[in-house]
């Protein structure tokens, strides 16, 4: 099939954001092309096929709400769905809405340049194609630019290496092998128990321990599926109005104003339910006050001590260097129990730093470990990495990368001054990664679609955030972030997992509900903070 070289909109990425954006723009009659580096849809769930990969938002909430028929037809099987099931869901959506015909797969967008005279973007791909478009919508993902550790010898190792975000499609069988996992964030926590069940020896190299809660995952009962389907509309409304995109009882008390017994009972309830937001959102000040935070942190550390038999190993696995919630907490299945097995070893890189890879394995400052395979669960250049990997140039040929050299700057995490008609779905400085991301994706996609329709209906050609609005938003995001404990952690939220990246809190913690209201109100008030210009009349 030949695709047009001139379109109304180009979308980069065919994960949940790009797929819905395509569907929405098609409904509005905009000619649209999507470019996707992978050979299928699904984004995160296409790439992260590592053993144990699973969502930690409940399946019936981590799903599109835009089509009530889709909601009713699709049957989730587990409370927390595994990667293959979520990928099947994405593929079902693509088939159902016939999305594939406008998606060019196995094609990476490498550059995009704004032509000020024509008020259009020229988008170039690694297959040599250039497409001319009025609107450019980046649906490139907050967690899609994977990263390896900055250590020497990565290409010297003679065994096999894997990154969790580029897992081979057919899976990997580690039976009988000596395997290392480097990294103990969410991907490490999920994959380590399963890799341990196959490997002859598993050595985990940990720099910073995670706070993890037992997921208590289970198959869904037909009755609970039916009940949710009966009340889906109300549930979706509650998701949209909530703080994290997951409805929970709003906290009304400080953790410090209740008795220890009351607090422990509350944390135990969250623990029994296997729900992350219930523990970090249980009191008003868990994410704002170090002493309040410590009560929840210590509760989880106590659980780690109960789950790990060797007290020294339990202590090494117990986070003490950052408040709970300020690095993404995890939900696990048998993570801590895995360390009770004799063939599983934990290396504390804080005590014996990683020196690098050798021909035969991994070297630390104290030891060398002979290995057959190394798994890098070392995460992503989050939030900005996928955007700055593309040479995006706005007015005056200024590069986005240059503009963001001191940290991302935008209005609402949606638009960037100097880059007219460019939109970033779940961009930095929006709630994005601090939420059930499908809720945030849908909100951004709908806002962008409405904006494009508004321009067209009113004979307008461009929309661009004013410098004043952008400055105000950057200051607001920083102020709200600084009122929390997030800046106290070295985390990917702060950019501190990437050497040289500016230390800036890259998400908006004002809450999904209030943020949505603000975006809607701005649009209803003539797109306050945006400059809208009349469409150029054809010469
Ligand atoms: P992505 O799914 O990342 O899709 C972006 C797509 O853009 C990718 O397919 C990529 O190939 C493509 N792309 C990027 N750059 C280019 C380019 N230059 N040219 C062409 N294509 C490009 N969120 C939750 O809310 N709950 C969870 O439990 C949860 N679990 C997660 C588990 C893992 C392992 C990871 C990595 C993330 C998880 N997330 C979770 C976050 C998850 O990324 C989002 O929920 C959601 O899937 C993001 O969708 P997206 O379309 O915005 O981005
Ligand atoms: O990546 P991470 P991830 N030497 O950055 C370590 C989502 N997600 O892929 O903390 C040694 O969290 C690093 O150590 P440190 C979720 O949003 C969700 O696990 O920087 N170690 C850390 O331990 C998540 O937050 C699920 O000190 C090095 C680990 O590698 C996000 O994706 C599942 C190192 C990286 O952890 C990213 O998760 C999976 C080095 N040089 C992902 N460099 C769910 O369950 C890095 N590390 C929902």
């Amino acid at each position: 099939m030949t695709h047009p070289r001139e379109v109304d909109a180009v979308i980069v990425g065919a994960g949940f954001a790009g797929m819905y954006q395509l569907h929405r723009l098609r409904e509005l009659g905009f000619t649209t092309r999507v470019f996707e580096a992978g050979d299928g849809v699904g984004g995160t769930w296409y790439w992260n096929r590592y053993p144990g990969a699973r969502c930690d938002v409940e399946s019936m909430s981590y799903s599109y709400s835009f089509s009530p028929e889709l909601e009713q037809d699709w049957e989730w099987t587990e409370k927390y769905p595994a990667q293959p099931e979520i990928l099947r869901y994405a593929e079902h959506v693509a088939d159902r809405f016939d999305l594939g015909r406008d998606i060019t797969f196995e094609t990476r967008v490498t550059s995009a340049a704004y032509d000020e005279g024509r008020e259009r973007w020229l988008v170039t791909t690694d297959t040599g194609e250039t497409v001319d478009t009025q609107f450019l919508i980046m649906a490139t993902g907050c967690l899609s630019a994977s990263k390896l550790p900055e250590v020497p010898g990565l290409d010297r190792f003679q065994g096999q290496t894997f990154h969790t975000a580029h897992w081979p499609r057919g899976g990997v069988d580690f039976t009988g092998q000596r395997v290392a996992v480097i990294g103990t964030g969410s991907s490490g926590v999920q994959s380590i128990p399963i890799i341990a069940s196959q490997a002859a020896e598993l050595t985990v190299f940990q720099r910073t321990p995670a706070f993890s809660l037992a997921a208590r995952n289970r198959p869904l009962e037909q009755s609970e599926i039916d009940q949710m389907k009966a009340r889906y509309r109300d549930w979706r409304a509650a998701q949209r109005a909530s703080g994290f995109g997951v409805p929970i009882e709003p906290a009304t008390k400080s953790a410090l104003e209740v008795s220890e017994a009351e607090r422990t009972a509350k944390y135990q309830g969250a623990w029994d339910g296997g729900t992350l937001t219930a523990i970090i959102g249980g009191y008003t000040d868990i994410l704002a006050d170090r002493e309040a935070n410590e009560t929840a942190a210590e509760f989880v550390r106590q659980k780690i001590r109960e789950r790990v038999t060797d007290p020294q190993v339990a202590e090494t696995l117990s986070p003490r260097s950052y408040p709970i919630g300020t690095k993404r907490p995890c939900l696990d299945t048998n993570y801590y129990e895995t360390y009770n097995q004799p063939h599983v070893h934990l290396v504390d890189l804080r005590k014996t730093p990683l020196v690098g890879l050798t021909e035969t394995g991994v070297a630390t400052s104290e030891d060398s470990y002979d290995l057959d395979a190394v798994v890098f669960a070392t995460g992503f250049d989050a939030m900005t990495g996928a955007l700055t990997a593309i040479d995006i140039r706005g007015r005056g040929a200024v590069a986005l990368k240059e503009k963001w050299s001191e940290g991302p700057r935008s209005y609402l995490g949606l638009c960037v001054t100097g880059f007219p008609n460019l939109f970033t779905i779940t961009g930095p400085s929006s709630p994005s990664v601090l939420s059930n991301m499908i809720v945030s994706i849908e909100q951004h996609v709908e806002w962008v679609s409405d904006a494009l329709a508004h321009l067209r209906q009113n004979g307008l050609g461009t929309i661009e955030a004013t410098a004043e609005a952008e400055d105000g938003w950057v200051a607001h995001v920083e102020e709200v972030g600084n009122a929390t404990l997030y800046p106290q952690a070295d985390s990917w939220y702060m950019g501190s997992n990437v050497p040289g990246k500016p230390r800036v809190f890259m998400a908006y913690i004002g809450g999904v509900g209030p943020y949505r209201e603000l975006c809607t109100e701005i649009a209803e008030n003539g797109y306050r903070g945006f400059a809208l210009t009349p469409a150029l009349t054809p010469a």
Side-chain angles (χ1 to χ4, degrees), residues 13 15-17 36-37 43-44 47 55-56 62 108-109 139-141 390 437:
F16 283 124
E36 167 53 57
T44 286
W47 295 105
C55 188
D56 65 9
Y62 187 83
R108 188 169 281 282
V109 168
T140 42
I390 305 171
M437 286 202 70

Side-chain angles (χ1 to χ4, degrees), residues 12-18 35-38 40 42-48 50 53-57 62 107-110 139-144 187 190 328 380 386 390 425-426 435-438 441:
V12 189
F16 283 124
F35 291 102
E36 167 53 57
T44 286
W45 307 103
Y46 167 94
W47 295 105
N48 291 263
Y50 61 84
R54 189 178 286 287
C55 188
D56 65 9
V57 173
Y62 187 83
T107 305
R108 188 169 281 282
V109 168
T110 51
T140 42
C142 297
L143 294 158
S144 60
S187 303
Q190 288 187 329
R328 174 72 155 71
F380 302 87
I390 305 171
I425 304 298
T426 64
S435 70
N436 169 355
M437 286 202 70
I438 300 217
I441 285 170

Side-chain angles (χ1 to χ4, degrees), residues 363-375:
T364 65
S365 57
E366 292 287 305
D367 264 312
S368 57
Y369 300 81
D370 285 345
L371 299 159
D372 300 305
V374 176
V375 174

Side-chain angles (χ1 to χ4, degrees), residues 142-143 328 382-383 426 430-437 440 492-493 506-507:
C142 297
L143 294 158
R328 174 72 155 71
M383 313 296 288
T426 64
S430 72
S432 66
V433 291
L434 298 179
S435 70
N436 169 355
M437 286 202 70
S440 293
W492 59 256
Y493 296 135
M506 290 186 289

Side-chain angles (χ1 to χ4, degrees), residues 158-177:
Q158 296 297 303
Q160 287 186 294
T161 57
F162 305 94
H163 191 289
T164 47
H166 298 281
W167 206 258
R169 200 170 281 222
V172 182
D173 182 4
F174 291 112
T175 304
Q177 295 191 10

Side-chain angles (χ1 to χ4, degrees), residues 77-230:
T77 65
E78 287 184 278
K79 180 177 178 188
Y80 295 118
Q83 172 271 329
E85 187 171 17
I86 307 175
L87 183 58
R88 274 199 304 281
Y89 172 74
E91 289 168 348
H92 167 78
V93 172
D95 287 347
R96 187 178 182 114
F97 297 103
D98 190 21
L99 300 180
R101 68 183 152 90
D102 290 328
I103 307 177
T104 307
F105 290 108
E106 294 183 90
T107 305
R108 188 169 281 282
V109 168
T110 51
S111 67
Y114 187 63
D115 180 340
E116 291 183 59
R118 296 173 57 244
E119 297 184 345
R120 292 181 70 85
W121 285 92
L122 288 176
V123 177
T124 308
T125 72
D126 62 356
T127 55
E129 197 181 350
T130 299
V131 177
D132 185 321
T133 180
Q134 185 180 3
F135 302 105
L136 176 57
I137 303 169
M138 309 307 292
T140 42
C142 297
L143 294 158
S144 60
S146 63
K147 79 172 267 304
L148 290 165
E150 298 71 24
V151 288
L154 293 184
D155 47 6
R156 269 174 62 199
F157 178 57
Q158 296 297 303
Q160 287 186 294
T161 57
F162 305 94
H163 191 289
T164 47
H166 298 281
W167 206 258
R169 200 170 281 222
V172 182
D173 182 4
F174 291 112
T175 304
Q177 295 191 10
R178 297 159 303 168
V179 184
V181 175
I182 300 178
T184 52
S186 305
S187 303
V189 162
Q190 288 187 329
S191 57
I192 283 164
I194 298 176
I195 295 173
S197 72
Q198 299 172 356
E201 295 288 329
L202 172 64
T203 309
V204 176
F205 293 87
Q206 170 191 279
R207 188 165 68 184
T208 313
F211 281 104
S212 187
L213 270 64
R216 299 174 199 286
N217 187 36
R218 56 176 174 75
L220 286 173
E221 308 271 343
Q222 192 57 49
S223 58
E224 61 188 323
I225 295 175
D226 295 344
Q227 277 168 23
M228 178 60 95
K229 285 188 176 180

